[in-house]
Amino acid sequence: MHDAFMRAALKEAQKAFRKNEVPVGCVMVRDGRIIARAHNLRETTADPLAHAEIICMKKAARKLGGWYLHRVVLYSTLEPCLMCAGAIIHARIKEIVFGASDPKAGASKILKKFGVRIVKGILKDECADILKSFFKTLRKK
């Protein structure tokens, strides 16, 4: 089940890649159905807050009619950063699933301290590969 939702997040990451955005994708799932999808848009929108997770949480909140997302599972291709972790905590999300770990900026340890259930490493190679490919291409420019 996790694989299917992570594949949907990877499709979002591919959209970001095509837009020259850092390829991170996110989906939010409630009752076994995707209710929101997003990908990074920082470059496109010139907005430092336009991370896939933040955009996806906003979409989910609009769809559900409220900010309290305790019954929603967040899937991200990359371990959430500190900013996104703060938003996850404040939205009361109880579970996140991510693919690739981020040893520099990942904040899953903080999420754990706030009682968020963490599932990591889902399709980790595919999630890491798209990031590696993006940065390799960027360095060639």
Side-chain angles (χ1 to χ4, degrees), residues 45-103:
T45 60
D47 180 354
L49 306 179
H51 286 206
E53 299 91 338
I54 300 290
I55 297 166
C56 206
M57 282 186 268
K58 286 180 178 183
K59 287 181 177 182
R62 276 195 298 271
K63 179 158 185 134
L64 297 175
W67 62 269
Y68 194 63
L69 302 176
H70 69 290
R71 293 178 53 206
V72 178
V73 179
L74 182 146
Y75 286 79
S76 180
T77 57
L78 182 64
E79 180 179 358
C81 71
L82 186 58
M83 175 183 71
C84 293
I88 289 165
I89 291 163
H90 286 287
R92 308 297 195 267
I93 294 170
K94 300 289 182 210
E95 181 177 1
I96 68 158
V97 180
F98 67 86
S101 294
D102 185 346

Side-chain angles (χ1 to χ4, degrees), residues 1-15 23-29 32-39 52-53 56 73-80 95-102 117-131:
M1 177 148 93
H2 289 314
D3 284 10
F5 294 129
M6 191 59 72
R7 287 198 193 290
L10 273 165
K11 284 184 182 178
E12 290 297 315
Q14 291 164 353
K15 291 177 187 177
V24 176
C26 182
V27 298
M28 298 198 72
V29 175
R33 293 181 52 225
I34 295 173
I35 62 165
R37 303 167 187 265
H39 53 275
E53 299 91 338
C56 206
V73 179
L74 182 146
Y75 286 79
S76 180
T77 57
L78 182 64
E79 180 179 358
E95 181 177 1
I96 68 158
V97 180
F98 67 86
S101 294
D102 185 346
R117 182 171 177 258
I118 308 292
V119 178
K120 61 183 178 178
I122 304 300
L123 302 180
K124 68 180 178 181
D125 292 336
E126 292 95 325
C127 293
D129 286 348
I130 192 170
L131 287 160

Side-chain angles (χ1 to χ4, degrees), residues 14-32:
Q14 291 164 353
K15 291 177 187 177
F17 190 104
R18 289 190 296 271
K19 294 177 182 177
N20 271 338
E21 297 279 354
V22 174
V24 176
C26 182
V27 298
M28 298 198 72
V29 175
R30 181 172 171 187
D31 299 327

